[in-house]
Amino acid sequence: MKLISWGFIGCGEVAELKSGPAFNDVTGSHVEAVMSRTEARARSYAERHGVSKWYTDAQKLIDDPNVNAIYVATPPSSHATFAIMAMRAGKPVYVEKPLASNYEDCARINRISEDTGVPCFVAYYRRYLPYFQRVKEIINSGQIGQVAYVQVRFTTPPRPEDYQENKPWRLIPDIAGGGYFYDLAAHQLDLLQDLFGVIVRAHGYKTNRAHLYDAEDTVSASFRFENGLVGSGSWCFVGHESAREDRIEVVGDKGMVSFSVFSYEPIRLVTSDGEQFIEVENPDYVQLPLIKSVIEDLQGFGMCRCTSVSATPVNWVMDRILGKF
């Protein structure tokens, strides 16, 4: 079995809580080295997680002969740079979502992957979680009949850090690609395209209602999938607590199913037979099922479908909704 020895570029919150430990939980995989521009952060992560080497220079990590795969866990504006550096060095790469901060950078990543023959995978891990696999099973089994319409609704109050003078990177469009919409809607739109195919038309309106930061805080959109299915979405990141909602509804001609994307509330299924609430547990490290699929692909006995090509339509849709082109 081929041993996959990972090098992490970035070792912040995502690598700490959602993904990092999962790389050591898969047979034939381990974390060889980590990198952060901040020496103290890189050293601390390595010591706490039993990683033998740490760097403050991404190129040195990529050039490490004992590293044969790269995990990019930095903010989106640097994803393309580091992914392309890794692929040109002949090393497969696993990139945090969204794939990049704009559609054009996604296209660049895909061109380099095609030219070099080096794969690029993207961390849309919700596709692989048992919770969403159950949703997919309900829809594909015909329990709600032919799907007629899909709607996304997401509302949350401002976060404490939204009021700070020094804003988090997720609220700086040049780094994140937008505001919270670009960070969170990416997961929702990827799930919908995994369920129903590529979105080929998208239109939207964005606004800033609370003026807490420069990025949009409220978005409304409509879209159409390649199979003719239509849908809509509304996102508000400055709503009152009483309006808090995390919901996708899929309406068919025999029933409907609704589910959350971030809070994993019980799946609600309504048909002529009545109403059901279905609870599904996810693993402690939510990226583990996808990371396992990536590793098995690299080892040659599996195929991971969460590639940069499959992830690129998400950025296209978000850029269309935000009026980037």
Side-chain angles (χ1 to χ4, degrees), residues 76-77 98-108 124 173-179 181-183 185-186 189 193 199-206 216 219-223 235 311-325:
S77 60
L99 175 56
S101 59
N102 57 74
Y103 170 73
E104 288 79 7
D105 276 353
C106 294
R108 289 175 55 219
Y124 281 120
D174 287 345
I175 298 176
F181 172 79
Y182 219 82
D183 184 46
L189 293 167
Q193 294 190 97
I199 293 172
V200 294
R201 296 288 298 275
H203 304 277
Y205 296 94
K206 65 175 182 178
E216 72 287 338
V219 177
S220 180
S222 60
F223 40 85
W235 295 263
T312 294
V314 175
N315 284 78
W316 183 87
V317 173
M318 292 193 298
D319 284 4
R320 289 285 297 178
I321 290 172
L322 294 182
K324 289 189 178 182
F325 60 82

Side-chain angles (χ1 to χ4, degrees), residues 48 83 201 267:
R48 286 182 292 104
R201 296 288 298 275
I267 300 164

Side-chain angles (χ1 to χ4, degrees), residues 50-85:
V51 180
S52 60
K53 286 177 280 188
W54 55 269
Y55 295 92
T56 57
D57 184 291
Q59 189 65 62
K60 289 182 179 179
L61 176 135
I62 291 171
D63 291 340
D64 186 323
N66 294 320
V67 169
N68 60 12
I70 304 297
Y71 171 41
V72 177
T74 59
S77 60
S78 59
H79 286 183
T81 296
F82 292 134
I84 289 171
M85 286 168 61

